[in-house]
Amino acid sequence: MKARVSRLQLVFPWALGAVGLLSVFHPMILSGLRLMHAGLGDARLINYVLEHGFLWLTQHPGHENFWNPPIFYPYPNVSAFTDILLGTGPLYWIWRFLAGRPDTGFQLWLLSIWAMNYAAAYFMLRRTYEVGRVPSAFGAYVLAFGNVLQARFGQPQLIPLFYVLLAFTALAEVLTREERVDPRRRVLWIAVFFACVVLQAYTAIYVFFYFGFLLGIALLAALGNEDYRARILELARRHRAALCVAAAAAGLMLAYLAGHYLETAHHVGVRAFQRRRFSRQTPS
C-alpha cells in the first residue's frame, strides 16, 4: 500500500499540471490548435517579437540585426519599443524549428511558459518551504493557473514568472540554508539568482520593474531583522568574490539593455502618463 501511495504522489503533480494547462487552454487544445488564445492585441505583437528573434537567430534576410527589425522605418533600435522576450525566446525557437509555423510555435510557447510557471512554483514550494508533493502541486496550481494570471491573458509578455520564482528560491538557498549547503553550491545559487534577474529583464520590463521593487522591500525587511542582517553580512564576507563577479556581470548585461531603451527614448520620447477623466454617460 505504501508503494502505491508513493507512486500516486509522484504522478499527482504531473497530472495536476496537465489539468491546469487543459483548464486554461482547452479551446485551443481541443480544437487541435486551430483556435488561437489571447486575442488580436498584444498577442500579435508578442508573436511578431518572438518570430523576429527566431528569424534573427537563423539570419533571415531583413532580420540580421536583432535591434532593427524591418518595421517602423526610419526609426532605429525598434526592438526596444517593447519587451524583447529574449529570456523566453529559446522556448519559442525550439517549437518554431519543430512546428515550422509562427502561429503554432506561438501556441506551443504559450503552453510552455505556463508549464514553466507551474514547475518553478512547485520546485520553490518543495525546495524552499519543504512542503509535500501534493500540497506543493496545489499551491503551484493556484499560482500558475489562477485568476491572477488568467486576467493577464491578453498580455502574454506578463505571464512568464518562473525567473522570479527561481530567483527567490536561490535567495532562500544562500540565506536560510547556509549551514546545510556546500560552499560551492552556494556560489552556484548566487549565479542562479543574478542570472534570473538578468533573464527577467531580457524578458519583460514591466515584470522586471515590480520584481526589483519586491526585491528592494525584501532587502529592507531583511536588514531590519537581526538574524537575516547577520546572514547577509556573513554571505558578503564569505563569498564576496562570487558576489562581485556575478553582480558585475549582471550589471553589464543590464546596462547594455538599458542603453538600447534609453536610445529609443531619445528618438521617440517617453510615455506620458496622463490622468484619464471618466464621466458618466446618461442614456438618451
Side-chain angles (χ1 to χ4, degrees):
M1 178 62 70
K2 289 184 179 180
R4 184 179 180 182
V5 172
S6 178
R7 284 196 295 269
L8 288 174
Q9 288 179 341
L10 288 173
V11 172
F12 184 80
W14 295 89
L16 191 60
V19 170
L21 289 175
L22 187 61
S23 69
V24 176
F25 293 99
H26 63 274
M28 185 177 75
I29 294 173
L30 297 179
S31 71
L33 301 184
R34 287 185 296 105
L35 298 179
M36 176 70 77
H37 265 50
L40 299 176
D42 281 13
R44 288 193 294 185
L45 168 65
I46 298 308
N47 197 172
Y48 179 85
V49 172
L50 292 168
E51 179 65 11
H52 167 64
F54 173 79
L55 296 177
W56 162 72
L57 183 70
T58 56
Q59 289 296 284
H60 191 276
H63 297 264
E64 294 88 353
N65 188 318
F66 176 80
W67 295 102
N68 291 294
I71 54 174
F72 297 140
Y73 180 82
Y75 286 112
N77 206 48
V78 171
S79 286
F81 279 23
T82 185
D83 299 308
I84 61 174
L85 297 170
L86 276 180
T88 57
L91 293 173
Y92 176 83
W93 302 339
I94 292 171
W95 289 120
R96 180 68 169 81
F97 271 118
L98 296 176
R101 291 173 55 89
D103 54 344
T104 305
F106 180 63
Q107 290 170 311
L108 296 173
W109 176 83
L110 285 172
L111 290 170
S112 298
I113 61 173
W114 286 70
M116 290 287 288
N117 283 345
Y118 176 80
Y122 178 81
F123 178 73
M124 181 183 70
L125 292 171
R126 288 283 293 154
R127 179 86 184 184
T128 302
Y129 298 99
E130 299 180 344
V131 181
R133 288 187 176 88
V134 172
S136 292
F138 278 119
Y141 184 96
V142 172
L143 190 148
F145 307 116
N147 288 336
V148 173
L149 282 188
Q150 291 201 42
R152 298 265 63 86
F153 209 98
Q155 293 84 37
Q157 69 273 27
L158 304 180
I159 299 299
L161 297 176
F162 43 88
Y163 289 128
V164 175
L165 298 171
L166 287 175
F168 280 109
T169 302
L171 278 181
E173 289 293 319
V174 298
L175 291 177
T176 66
R177 292 176 178 262
E178 68 274 8
E179 70 281 358
R180 289 179 286 173
V181 177
D182 183 271
R184 291 171 297 181
R185 188 169 294 182
R186 291 184 75 191
V187 171
L188 176 62
W189 281 112
I190 290 171
V192 168
F193 170 76
F194 282 100
C196 287
V197 171
V198 172
L199 288 168
Q200 185 57 64
Y202 277 75
T203 297
I205 290 297
Y206 280 114
V207 177
F208 173 74
F209 172 81
Y210 289 109
F211 175 36
F213 185 71
L214 185 59
L215 282 176
I217 293 177
L219 177 61
L220 290 176
L223 291 176
N225 181 282
E226 184 177 355
D227 180 42
Y228 277 102
R229 185 168 61 250
R231 291 169 185 249
I232 292 173
L233 293 175
E234 181 67 12
L235 177 69
R237 184 184 67 83
R238 289 188 178 183
H239 299 284
R240 57 180 176 272
L243 287 169
C244 289
V245 171
L252 289 173
M253 294 293 291
L254 294 175
Y256 173 75
L257 180 65
H260 282 281
Y261 279 112
L262 290 173
E263 180 184 343
T264 291
H266 174 73
H267 285 291
V268 299
V270 297
R271 180 176 180 180
F273 291 91
Q274 298 177 349
R275 180 178 297 179
R276 296 182 178 180
R277 296 181 179 180
F278 297 92
S279 60
R280 292 184 177 179
Q281 294 183 355
T282 56
S284 56

